[in-house]
Amino acid sequence: LTISTTWAIERNTIDRFVDPASGSRHTLSAQLAGLGDNYFYKMEQDSIWFWPLTENKKWVLSYRGRLGFVSPYGDSDSVPIQDRLFVGGTTTVRGYEQRDIGPQAREYEVLGIGFGDKFRQGGNWRAISNLEIKYKVNDIMRVYGFWDAGGAWEYFSDFELDGVKNGVGLGLGFDVPRFG
């Protein structure tokens, strides 16, 4: 049983909620769990900037950076898997499966030897970076070029550059009226 509270503060200057072309949004959140079986605290930061490259805002450059960490305290030795930090998938590092980047463990362990399938266990801290250039073809269609990088680690001391995974690609976006 986890009982927690989350507090966040946000500063938002983007020009449009859907398909922004200028401004920035910065969010800092803190979660504290401690009235149940699990005791942990989590801090996350998320910042995104948009810069129009042309006067008509058809070309837009954006950068997003996210950091987060979670740590047990008190009677807890670890953070429940559902509250850990994951990386991979369309909302973090594109080109990888959902939650594919970061610590993994074997399904079974006997005498310190792991065997069975690996499962994703998430990390206690993560870093994600997204750089994107967008061309607005018309009011409905956009073309994207992106570079994503990120990773998740069990401990801060586990950080190594080979743990940071990259994704580069092109994308096509549509706004369908009344569906978004």
Side-chain angles (χ1 to χ4, degrees), residues 7 9 14 23 28 57 74 79 118 121 129 157:
W7 292 75
I9 186 168
I14 60 174
L28 181 63
K57 297 184 179 183
V79 176
K118 284 187 174 182
Q121 65 180 21
S129 182
S157 60

Side-chain angles (χ1 to χ4, degrees), residues 6-85:
T6 301
W7 292 75
I9 186 168
E10 180 176 298
R11 180 175 189 270
N12 188 338
T13 63
I14 60 174
D15 59 346
R16 291 186 302 263
F17 181 74
V18 177
D19 193 24
S22 66
S24 62
R25 185 185 71 235
H26 310 281
T27 306
L28 181 63
S29 66
Q31 179 181 1
L32 180 65
L35 292 176
D37 300 325
N38 300 305
Y39 297 85
F40 65 88
Y41 57 92
K42 183 189 294 187
M43 297 286 294
E44 293 186 273
Q45 170 276 329
D46 185 353
S47 293
I48 187 167
W49 293 268
F50 297 92
W51 299 283
L53 300 177
T54 58
E55 196 170 313
N56 61 3
K57 297 184 179 183
K58 282 196 171 277
W59 286 95
V60 176
L61 180 67
S62 66
Y63 173 76
R64 185 176 186 184
R66 291 175 272 179
L67 295 171
F69 73 90
V70 60
S71 180
Y73 73 91
D75 294 337
S76 292
D77 293 333
S78 64
V79 176
I81 195 164
Q82 67 270 16
D83 294 303
R84 301 186 104 212
L85 300 168

Side-chain angles (χ1 to χ4, degrees), residues 56-127:
N56 61 3
K57 297 184 179 183
K58 282 196 171 277
W59 286 95
V60 176
L61 180 67
S62 66
Y63 173 76
R64 185 176 186 184
R66 291 175 272 179
L67 295 171
F69 73 90
V70 60
S71 180
Y73 73 91
D75 294 337
S76 292
D77 293 333
S78 64
V79 176
I81 195 164
Q82 67 270 16
D83 294 303
R84 301 186 104 212
L85 300 168
F86 292 90
V87 178
T90 58
T91 60
T92 56
V93 179
R94 293 167 275 194
Y96 290 86
E97 289 185 33
Q98 193 73 16
R99 300 178 163 201
D100 198 32
I101 301 169
Q104 296 183 0
R106 292 287 183 182
E107 201 168 8
Y108 307 103
E109 186 175 319
V110 175
L111 301 174
I113 300 171
F115 62 95
D117 293 334
K118 284 187 174 182
F119 69 93
R120 297 164 180 108
Q121 65 180 21
N124 287 336
W125 79 278
R126 73 175 181 180

